[in-house]
Amino acid sequence: MLAAYNRAIARTSVTMKSQGAKLMKEGMDAKSLKEVRRRMQAHKYDFKLGKTGAKLDELKLWFGLNDMSIGRLKGRMSRLGSKRSPEGAAFTSKKLGKQEYDDGFIGRVRNKRSIFARKGAARFPIKEKKVAVADPLHVKLEDEIFDSLPEVFMQHFTTDMKGRVAGRDSIAGRQRQWNKYK
């Protein structure tokens, strides 16, 4: 039973990470799934039961909902004002809405197009602007991922237990047949 429990935790971790990655990619309009996977981690911890020392695993899921760079998101960047008298830049996304940056400008640094802002009066250093993604995603993650977690775990656990019981029966049957020939 402990082995089935620990394997169900591992499978639940993989299932929740894949569902979470899909949800986060759609919710923040990320350009690639690689960027989303960097913001997700699943940790398994083990703790011992009583005097037997039997180990049970527990699962901890972490989703990074901190601000994301504009260059990594799908959307449209546009200049505010004219080229002669710029008034900043704007980023528009279907999922995240429109954000305007008064001190921003659209540029390409290291072959990556994004909205940047200067840190001081000089030309360099510059800093890439970011968009808040936590508000729309936090509620979706709680509603869809964390609410479905017990059902997914129980499905994996019962499937694994059924397989172990069926396997034990078939092994015992083979042993009886083998013992018949001795």
Side-chain angles (χ1 to χ4, degrees):
M1 192 168 99
L2 289 174
Y5 175 84
N6 289 336
R7 185 164 180 189
I9 286 284
R11 287 180 163 199
T12 302
S13 167
V14 171
T15 304
M16 292 294 111
K17 280 181 70 176
S18 67
Q19 287 180 2
K22 182 180 174 188
L23 185 72
M24 285 179 68
K25 186 176 186 296
E26 291 170 0
M28 71 171 73
D29 256 356
K31 285 184 179 176
S32 70
L33 197 58
K34 182 179 177 182
E35 297 296 330
V36 173
R37 285 185 180 144
R38 283 185 194 168
R39 295 172 161 260
M40 297 174 51
Q41 291 179 0
H43 303 282
K44 282 182 13 181
Y45 299 102
D46 59 323
F47 59 93
K48 295 184 179 184
L49 294 174
K51 295 178 184 177
T52 61
K55 291 183 180 179
L56 284 176
D57 288 345
E58 68 177 338
L59 178 65
K60 177 181 176 184
L61 296 172
W62 177 82
F63 296 96
L65 297 178
N66 49 335
D67 298 349
M68 194 162 188
S69 301
I70 291 175
R72 296 179 175 161
L73 298 172
K74 292 179 188 174
R76 199 175 112 238
M77 293 176 255
S78 59
R79 176 179 47 234
L80 299 177
S82 64
K83 192 169 187 175
R84 219 161 235 251
S85 59
E87 296 174 6
F91 175 73
T92 308
S93 170
K94 290 179 183 177
K95 305 285 182 178
L96 302 172
K98 183 176 182 177
Q99 274 93 28
E100 293 185 357
Y101 303 97
D102 295 333
D103 60 341
F105 63 94
I106 299 170
R108 186 177 297 270
V109 174
R110 293 187 196 106
N111 216 10
K112 178 177 156 189
R113 187 170 184 262
S114 187
I115 297 178
F116 298 95
R118 291 185 169 77
K119 288 186 178 179
R123 184 174 178 190
F124 289 103
I126 59 175
K127 182 179 174 186
E128 188 174 6
K129 289 296 193 175
K130 298 186 177 203
V131 176
V133 295
D135 296 335
L137 282 176
H138 193 275
V139 175
K140 283 185 181 181
L141 286 172
E142 282 182 355
D143 290 347
E144 295 182 26
I145 300 299
F146 292 115
D147 285 350
S148 67
L149 193 109
E151 292 90 22
V152 170
F153 171 76
M154 285 308 295
Q155 181 182 5
H156 287 307
F157 181 70
T158 54
T159 302
D160 198 67
M161 283 299 288
K162 286 177 185 176
R164 288 177 189 275
V165 169
R168 181 179 290 170
D169 290 343
S170 68
I171 291 171
R174 279 187 254 144
Q175 285 176 341
R176 281 192 298 272
Q177 285 180 339
W178 180 257
N179 290 337
K180 205 170 30 172
Y181 296 113
K182 283 187 178 181

